[in-house]
């Protein structure tokens, strides 16, 4: 990805973020800049220079309201993508994509979905605590999430770096996951039902001190999302958690420290990027 390319991607993503924020205002729902995007706002007043991504989070109640009503309020060129709106989409969160662009990732290149340039919208659900009930719920979530793995590209370029033994174990694991999926859900067309089941379990977790995206991969303090503040990002103002220092420190440690030069690269592995043509021209 050359410099001009990444700068154009950032411009398109920033336009999507603008439209997203406008819709959130209209619907009276809260969002928060998150993860590397929040580091960028604090450390660089915008994108991390080598980053090609925008992440936002929403509490589940606001997220559900947004995904049920936002599409009608978005410009025609933007598509709100999740398993409810794009039947072959396999992720547990939503994206807003620009229909007139192309950003095909290696892990999703075989999926018949919208492949436009995007921003990510993650729902925050209450996270497990020490009691047995929530532990059982999260074991169920992790098991069901594992059944999605075989539907992505079977062996990505990253996995091709594995040795023979590790790659063989991975192939066997995915074969077992396919069998389990077939037994529980039947046809591959029913991945949406699996994702719906995962969401139902997540939303059944009792309220507690912590929230998380996915299955507890990053655990976050619920209190951080009670108060918000505006932060500069590429010359505009967007919303983040007020106590950004505690938030970023718990997740990243010394977030003001730049990583080693070899890690200052975009985190997406793509097959095709085109900021001027629709993904439909490549499928």
């Amino acid at each position: 990805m050359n410099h001009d390319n990444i700068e154009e991607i950032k411009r398109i993503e920033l336009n999507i973020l603008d439209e997203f924020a406008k819709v959130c205002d209209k619907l009276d729902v809260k969002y928060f800049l998150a993860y590397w995007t929040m580091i960028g706002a604090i450390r660089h007043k915008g994108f991390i220079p080598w980053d090609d991504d925008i992440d936002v989070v929403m509490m589940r109640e606001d997220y559900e309201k947004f995904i049920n009503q936002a599409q009608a309020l978005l410009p025609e060129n933007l598509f709100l993508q999740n398993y409810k709106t794009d039947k072959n989409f396999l992720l547990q969160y939503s994206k807003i994509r620009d229909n007139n662009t192309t950003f095909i990732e290696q892990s999703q290149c075989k999926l018949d979905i919208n492949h436009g340039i995007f921003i990510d919208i993650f729902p925050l659900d209450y996270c497990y605590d020490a009691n047995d009930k929530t532990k059982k719920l999260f074991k169920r979530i992790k098991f069901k999430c594992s059944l999605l793995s075989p539907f992505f590209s079977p062996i990505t370029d990253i996995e091709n770096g594995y040795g023979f033994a590790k790659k063989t174990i991975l192939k066997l694991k995915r074969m077992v996951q396919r069998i389990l999926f077939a037994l529980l859900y039947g046809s591959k067309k029913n991945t949406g039902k699996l994702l719906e089941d995962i969401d139902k379990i997540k939303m059944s977790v009792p309220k507690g001190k912590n929230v998380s995206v996915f299955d507890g991969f990053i655990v976050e303090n619920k209190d951080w999302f009670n108060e918000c503040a505006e932060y500069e990002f590429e010359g505009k103002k967007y919303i983040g958690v007020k106590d950004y220092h505690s938030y970023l420190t718990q997740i990243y440690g010394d977030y003001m420290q730049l990583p080693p030069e070899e890690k200052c690269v975009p985190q997406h592995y793509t097959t095709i990027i085109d900021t001027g043509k629709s993904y439909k021209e490549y499928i």
Side-chain angles (χ1 to χ4, degrees):
M1 187 184 301
N2 61 42
H3 178 76
D4 290 341
N5 197 295
I6 196 171
E7 291 305 312
E8 184 62 11
I9 289 171
K10 289 178 181 179
R11 183 192 67 77
I12 293 166
E13 289 177 347
L14 194 61
N15 177 66
I16 298 173
L17 180 61
D18 281 343
E19 298 298 336
F20 164 77
K22 289 176 186 176
V23 173
C24 286
D25 285 343
K26 290 177 182 178
L27 295 177
D28 191 26
V29 295
K30 285 184 181 179
Y31 73 90
F32 302 87
L33 299 182
Y35 312 125
W36 276 29
T37 307
M38 192 62 193
I39 290 180
I42 301 302
R43 196 170 68 195
H44 305 278
K45 304 295 183 186
F47 285 97
I48 294 175
W50 58 90
D51 193 19
D52 61 348
D53 197 15
I54 289 178
D55 295 329
V56 297
V57 296
M58 307 175 81
M59 288 299 298
R60 171 63 72 169
E61 183 178 356
D62 284 337
Y63 173 83
E64 290 294 321
K65 183 176 180 179
F66 182 86
I67 65 170
N68 287 325
Q69 300 182 40
Q71 186 62 70
L73 301 174
L74 288 167
E76 289 185 4
N77 67 303
L78 298 184
F79 174 62
L80 176 58
Q81 181 183 51
N82 50 59
Y83 70 85
K84 295 180 180 180
T85 64
D86 202 341
K87 65 180 181 179
N88 294 314
F89 188 68
L90 298 178
L91 300 175
Q92 300 169 50
Y93 54 94
S94 293
K95 296 175 181 282
I96 298 179
R97 294 199 185 251
D98 187 321
N99 298 323
N100 301 325
T101 63
T102 302
F103 194 94
I104 301 177
E105 297 176 87
Q106 289 176 4
S107 64
Q108 300 181 46
C109 64
K110 295 183 179 181
L111 299 179
D112 181 15
I113 60 173
N114 186 309
H115 289 283
I117 291 172
F118 60 87
I119 69 169
D120 289 323
I121 308 167
F122 298 101
L124 287 166
D125 292 292
Y126 285 97
C127 192
Y128 63 88
D129 55 30
N131 71 59
D132 289 338
K133 181 179 179 181
T134 53
K135 283 183 179 179
K136 288 178 181 177
L137 288 172
F138 271 80
K139 284 181 180 178
R140 287 175 61 198
I141 291 170
K142 287 184 177 182
F143 168 70
K144 287 185 177 290
C145 288
S146 73
L147 301 182
L148 288 168
S149 299
F151 297 107
F152 292 93
S153 297
I155 300 294
T156 68
D157 286 348
I158 304 168
E159 292 157 349
N160 281 334
Y162 291 171
F164 175 78
K166 194 169 184 179
K167 194 182 294 184
T168 301
I169 291 170
L170 177 64
K171 288 181 178 179
L172 288 172
K173 181 180 178 181
R174 290 188 174 177
M175 182 175 69
V176 170
Q177 289 166 335
R178 288 190 192 97
I179 293 170
L180 288 171
F181 179 89
L183 290 172
L184 293 170
Y185 291 95
S187 167
K188 180 182 175 180
K189 294 178 181 179
N190 294 325
T191 51
K193 179 65 170 67
L194 169 57
L195 285 159
E196 184 180 1
D197 286 350
I198 293 170
D199 273 352
K200 285 179 180 178
I201 300 171
K202 287 180 178 180
M203 289 188 278
S204 73
V205 176
K207 292 183 178 181
K209 296 184 295 184
N210 296 318
V211 291
S212 176
V213 298
F214 304 126
D215 55 359
F217 179 68
I218 298 176
V219 178
E220 303 167 48
N221 188 328
K222 167 62 174 65
D223 290 344
W224 291 333
F225 303 96
N226 293 335
E227 294 186 87
C228 59
E230 287 190 333
Y231 297 95
E232 183 179 343
F233 192 90
E234 299 297 333
K236 299 181 180 182
K237 297 286 188 179
Y238 299 100
I239 304 299
V241 297
K242 186 174 183 179
D243 187 6
Y244 70 85
H245 179 68
S246 296
Y247 169 72
L248 293 175
T249 299
Q250 179 166 316
I251 298 173
Y252 298 104
D254 184 4
Y255 59 89
M256 294 301 287
Q257 178 68 41
L258 291 172
E261 186 174 350
E262 65 271 16
K263 292 188 176 181
C264 296
V265 294
Q267 297 301 299
H268 288 101
Y269 297 88
T270 55
T271 55
I272 302 173
I273 297 173
D274 194 326
T275 59
K277 288 183 181 178
S278 171
Y279 67 94
K280 295 176 183 178
E281 299 191 31
Y282 292 93
I283 293 177

